[in-house]
Amino acid sequence: MSVAISRRNFLKAGASGAAVLLVGINPRGALAAGQQSTEFNPFVRIDADGMVTVIIKHFEMGQGTTTGLTTLVAEELDADWSRVKPQFAPSDNAKYKNLAFGSQGTGGSTAIANSFMQYRQAGAAARELLVKAAARVWQVAPQQIRVEKGVLSAGNHRGSFGDFVELAAGMEPNPEPILKSPEQFQLIGKQKLPRKDSKAKTNGSARFAMDVKLPGMRYVVILRAPKFGGKLIDFDASQATKISGFVDAKALPNAAGVAVYAENTWAALQARNAIQAQWDLSGAEQRSSDQLVADHRAVNQSPQHQAKSDGTEQVAALVDAAPRRIEAEFSFPFLAHAPMEPLVCVFEPTANGVRVLDGCQFPAIAHGTIAAVLQLKPEQVEIETLYAGGSFGRRATPTADYHVEAALAYALLGQKLPVKLIWSREDDIRGGYYRPMAQHRASIGLDENGQIIGWDHRITAKSILIGSPFESVMVHNGIDHTTIEGVADSLYTLPKMSVGVTNFETPVPVLWWRSVGHTHNAYVIESLIDMLAHETERDPVELRLSLLDRSHKEQARLAGVIEAARDLADWKPGQKRGFAAHYSFNTFVAVVADVSADGDKVHVDKLHIAVDCGVAINPDVIRAQMEGGAGFGLGAVMRNAITLQDGEVVQSNFPDYQPLRMADMPAIEVRIVSSNEAPTGVGEPGVPPTGPAVANAIFAVTGKRILDLPMTNSGLSFV
Amino acid sequence: MAIQLTINDQLHHLDVAPDTPLLWVIRDQLELTGTKFGCGVASCGACTVHLNGTPIRSCVTPISVAAGGEIRTVEGLEGSGDPIAEAVQQAWGEKDVVQCGYCQSGQIMSAVGLLKETPNPSDEQIDSYMSGNVCRCATYVRVKDAIKTASDKLEG
Ligand code: FES
Ligand code: FES
């Protein structure tokens, strides 16, 4: 399997003389087919040998897109799974946009959802064309032709896809090809369909940007300011010249640091250590984490904005007057994404511009930004997408931060030599773009019967989107939707709720992190519901179900996964276990957590997860994403925090930003709730409910309610 | 310094500084990029290779230590005739362990090392032997499952 064929080959479709059928969408949004792709964007390519290539407009960070989108085409085409391969699309915003954002990029668990109809239509159109061509050759009616595993047949006639591509490519596609009905699916929903990227990733052949080496290439690392917001004044590289393989060091024109060039990675890393730099830190963050937490708490008292119609004072008064109250404050630290492959990208000069080799999550932003930095026209920039060694959001920044660094380093060498920018793990952990710190305060007023009569919620966090190109869409009246998602729009019926919001100010750059605001918001809501259950002596599952109205579609689906998780885990009231459920990215997930504890030593033994993500395209990929999402969320709440000491990041690598390891991983059982709704994302939704399910289990077992994250702050250790 | 190194049964003569980590020789010089860089401080296992049959972290192994030794990388598993390697790679496919895939070469090299030492490992033995291999995609459930599958196949 190869998805790394370059764009040059891809655009030369048909040029070699061999016939090829391309099917895609033209600029007017209609299905189009032919031998050449100049006029439209192909999603499917079928070669004369019958090999089917599915053009993947999203990148692959492990979430399974190359398998998922390939499944959609192969299904409608009735292709042979072993004769279908994915290939990444070139960066072309007009042609390969994510229909959820209107620009090319991956995020928000949208890849399958926005591609579902588009890729199926392309597959169905291709199938109809092949059938039409075969019907003409065989002189039979199209209805007499069967298609099975890449073979067309009618009576005694048999032929493969490849036999008909030439004829089919000259025909007009049906503008509205007939799609299969769910009962006809052969591949969609199949319990086990081998991943398309499995083999290349188990024999070392999968190509990541970290693996690119080009003739004459310079390896670059950047010496950055020790504190966020610092500016370079001057540097001395005289000691670096002693390092064999060191080439040069140059100040970045934006004063963000020094680009250190070498003939190999090791020399670049060593040379950087030998460089002395002076920084202007007058505009930099100088505070320590304790102070930052105190400052968050202080401003959280009087919210800047109100996300709900009931005002802060009005609800506070209701809560104050209530006979019973639940009050809690929660603190969340900055978190690094720490994708397994540190950030990296390669710039290569081409005849009239530049080619960027990158595990590119958001080509739409990277492409334009690179062109602007290099003063090139967009058509002079190509991006070749390679496998990404994880991202969790880090590879998509609204500022294209690492692309800008690489572009500047490339420009400083006159745009003549290939340049590979490499981040070390230390750069990654200390480099910012964190999940924001967040502070929550909730006061819930209850009547004598334990019914909620007011819920005063206040959140302070730095906004991810204010000042970004997404501000106009995602920020309303000063409120960044990602700050409040999962709280202000909670599916539970929470009468008289106010959600005060304060946008914290700090030079520390923040970013979406797998499931974004839900990372802290689900933890808070699901902990509070558990506290409410405890306070009112109700079963946490029964209480949750009582807060959901089944005549409301989303609430009914959340109730559905709550019941599914309850049944899967054989949950009984009174057991010492934890429960949480959350709705995010249009997907519903509920989790039952089993933990054991010996004093303050805790082990998470098992998670029982129920998910409703609409039509389950690749059930095994969905299970894998639930396992991975749960593990990602779990490791963070257990023991991860980025902290600052006088503005400097304390942690630097895995020994002090300790990731989840094999022995920490609980057993996981996943139940996928069957559904005929349109498919929704699974990359993120497993993260939000896992932390609170475990926290609620820890409370059930130890009596400790964990409000300050990570959990190790409360004296717990994990064995 | 002139160094001789056998990698995947092929002899290489190299001229590198003796303190250069084996990882960078393998990746940047010999272009065997299946072996990954994840941390550089022996804390993630992405760079795991076998030196004389034993898994080591190549990011902290100076080339001088490896000199004269037999190195095997993930690229050298296929067709090596090692039934353990074959069983492990096959189990990885059967269980569809990979997600982003970046850690998986290291996971596989460690898993082969584990099954060589302990053909039929318990859960605890797997947890402890594999503790140095981080997977940020948290594919641990399947890594464990695949190790057991490979072990069963080899035992059976
Ligand atoms: S790169 Fe060697 S252990 Fe992480
Ligand atoms: S598969 Fe992504 S780090 Fe392991």
Side-chain angles (χ1 to χ4, degrees), chain A residues 210-211 213 265 660-661, chain B residues 27-28 36 43 96 131 140:
Chain A
M210 192 62 92
D211 304 334
K213 182 177 177 183
T265 317
L660 187 88
R661 290 179 186 269
Chain B
R27 286 184 54 82
D28 285 357
K36 301 301 188 200
S43 184
D96 265 347
S131 68
Y140 299 113

Side-chain angles (χ1 to χ4, degrees), chain A residues 340 390, chain B residues 98-104 107 134-139:
Chain A
M340 202 70 216
Chain B
V98 309
Q99 289 189 28
C100 84
Y102 195 81
C103 73
Q104 298 295 345
Q107 303 280 359
V134 171
C135 176
R136 286 293 287 157
C137 301
T139 61

Side-chain angles (χ1 to χ4, degrees), chain A residues 302-324:
Chain A
S302 5
Q304 277 175 323
H305 306 285
Q306 178 50 247
K308 303 285 272 191
S309 52
D310 293 314
T312 305
E313 280 80 32
Q314 194 187 341
V315 174
L318 280 175
V319 174
D320 271 350
R324 292 163 79 180

Side-chain angles (χ1 to χ4, degrees), chain A residues 42 63 110 152 277 289 429 447 514 528 531 557 622 665 708:
Chain A
Q63 82 280 36
T110 55
L152 299 110
S289 282
I429 299 291
D447 67 14
R514 197 172 186 177
L528 289 168
M531 292 164 80
R557 290 178 74 187
I622 295 167
M665 189 74 186
D708 181 13

Side-chain angles (χ1 to χ4, degrees), chain B:
Chain B
M1 159 179 171
I3 280 171
Q4 281 196 14
L5 212 56
T6 307
I7 301 196
N8 302 334
D9 306 318
Q10 235 189 308
L11 184 66
H12 296 269
H13 298 274
L14 301 159
D15 185 22
V16 268
D19 59 346
T20 309
L22 174 62
L23 172 68
W24 298 113
V25 175
I26 292 175
R27 286 184 54 82
D28 285 357
Q29 262 186 277
L30 302 173
E31 298 186 43
L32 289 165
T33 53
T35 303
K36 301 301 188 200
F37 163 61
C39 70
V41 297
S43 184
C44 78
C47 64
T48 306
V49 299
H50 292 183
L51 172 61
N52 301 326
T54 307
I56 54 155
R57 310 292 183 222
S58 64
C59 68
V60 293
T61 306
I63 191 76
S64 54
V65 170
E70 300 254 354
I71 310 282
R72 192 158 295 282
T73 71
V74 69
E75 290 92 343
L77 291 185
E78 263 172 7
S80 64
D82 174 359
I84 295 178
E86 195 183 318
V88 167
Q89 279 180 315
Q90 204 179 336
W92 245 250
E94 253 168 59
K95 298 291 166 191
D96 265 347
V97 174
V98 309
Q99 289 189 28
C100 84
Y102 195 81
C103 73
Q104 298 295 345
S105 304
Q107 303 280 359
I108 286 171
M109 297 311 286
S110 290
V112 171
L114 164 62
L115 293 179
K116 278 206 168 114
E117 213 172 272
T118 315
N120 196 0
S122 64
D123 278 20
E124 292 66 34
Q125 284 170 316
I126 297 176
D127 284 350
S128 108
Y129 197 93
M130 299 299 290
S131 68
N133 285 88
V134 171
C135 176
R136 286 293 287 157
C137 301
T139 61
Y140 299 113
V141 170
R142 290 173 190 234
V143 169
K144 190 178 271 183
D145 208 15
I147 289 173
K148 290 183 183 169
T149 303
S151 159
D152 288 350
K153 195 164 288 173
L154 290 162
E155 295 282 284

Side-chain angles (χ1 to χ4, degrees), chain A residues 126-462:
Chain A
R127 184 187 190 278
E128 286 191 19
L129 286 171
L130 293 167
V131 166
K132 231 186 348 174
R136 189 180 298 170
V137 174
W138 294 338
Q139 294 293 312
V140 300
Q143 300 84 305
Q144 286 177 269
I145 295 180
R146 286 166 52 86
V147 187
E148 236 175 334
K149 292 202 172 153
V151 175
L152 299 110
S153 61
N156 293 330
H157 301 290
R158 269 176 80 81
S160 92
F161 285 173
D163 300 339
F164 302 102
V165 293
E166 186 158 18
L167 187 55
M171 296 174 154
E172 270 306 299
N174 179 355
E176 278 173 39
I178 297 167
L179 301 182
K180 288 184 179 176
S181 60
E183 324 74 81
Q184 295 173 300
F185 290 155
Q186 307 271 332
L187 300 177
I188 292 177
K190 199 172 161 179
Q191 285 305 315
K192 191 94 182 70
L193 197 60
R195 275 182 79 111
K196 283 291 171 192
D197 52 354
S198 207
K199 189 157 175 62
K201 290 176 175 178
T202 47
N203 64 16
S205 67
R207 195 162 173 243
F208 297 83
M210 192 62 92
D211 304 334
V212 174
K213 182 177 177 183
L214 300 168
M217 185 173 88
R218 295 290 182 239
Y219 296 73
V220 181
V221 296
I222 310 278
L223 178 62
R224 298 180 187 81
K227 300 183 188 191
F228 297 106
K231 294 270 172 216
L232 181 70
I233 299 169
D234 202 2
F235 70 97
D236 171 10
S238 54
Q239 294 302 308
T241 54
K242 295 180 188 149
I243 308 243
S244 134
F246 167 72
V247 174
D248 205 353
K250 291 174 187 284
L252 292 178
N254 61 3
V258 183
V260 183
Y261 301 85
E263 286 165 4
N264 58 64
T265 317
W266 178 240
L269 291 170
Q270 282 187 300
R272 176 170 66 173
N273 288 340
I275 293 176
Q276 300 290 325
Q278 289 92 52
W279 305 93
D280 170 7
L281 299 174
S282 56
E285 179 59 84
Q286 307 279 5
R287 286 173 285 184
S288 299
S289 282
D290 290 351
Q291 188 61 48
L292 285 168
V293 174
D295 291 353
H296 274 78
R297 290 184 70 179
V299 295
N300 203 33
Q301 303 296 329
S302 5
Q304 277 175 323
H305 306 285
Q306 178 50 247
K308 303 285 272 191
S309 52
D310 293 314
T312 305
E313 280 80 32
Q314 194 187 341
V315 174
L318 280 175
V319 174
D320 271 350
R324 292 163 79 180
R325 273 195 299 275
I326 294 171
E327 315 241 0
E329 278 196 57
F330 296 80
S331 294
F332 298 87
F334 289 123
L335 291 173
H337 306 69
M340 202 70 216
E341 176 193 32
L343 299 179
V344 54
C345 70
V346 178
F347 278 48
E348 177 191 16
T350 56
N352 72 339
V354 67
R355 177 178 304 117
V356 176
L357 297 105
D358 179 30
C360 195
Q361 179 159 9
F362 225 117
I365 291 179
H367 197 126
T369 308
I370 291 163
V373 172
L374 297 179
Q375 297 180 306
L376 295 173
K377 296 199 201 72
E379 54 275 23
Q380 291 176 280
V381 177
E382 286 173 38
I383 298 177
E384 186 174 326
T385 297
L386 306 179
Y387 283 126
S391 171
F392 317 117
R394 182 62 186 88
R395 291 186 143 81
T397 55
T399 52
D401 68 314
Y402 68 95
H403 302 95
V404 169
E405 286 184 344
L408 292 172
Y410 174 70
L412 285 170
L413 296 187
Q415 305 195 20
K416 289 201 274 297
L417 284 179
V419 160
K420 178 180 188 176
L421 171 78
I422 297 153
W423 282 50
S424 66
R425 180 60 59 199
E426 288 80 4
D427 295 336
D428 170 60
I429 299 291
R430 314 195 68 188
Y433 293 92
Y434 302 129
R435 191 286 302 272
M437 282 183 83
Q439 186 73 25
H440 286 242
R441 199 193 100 182
S443 310
I444 304 166
L446 307 175
D447 67 14
E448 276 85 4
N449 303 320
Q451 298 296 317
I452 302 167
I453 52 174
W455 184 307
D456 169 6
H457 202 117
R458 303 176 191 195
I459 310 174
T460 293
K462 181 175 178 178

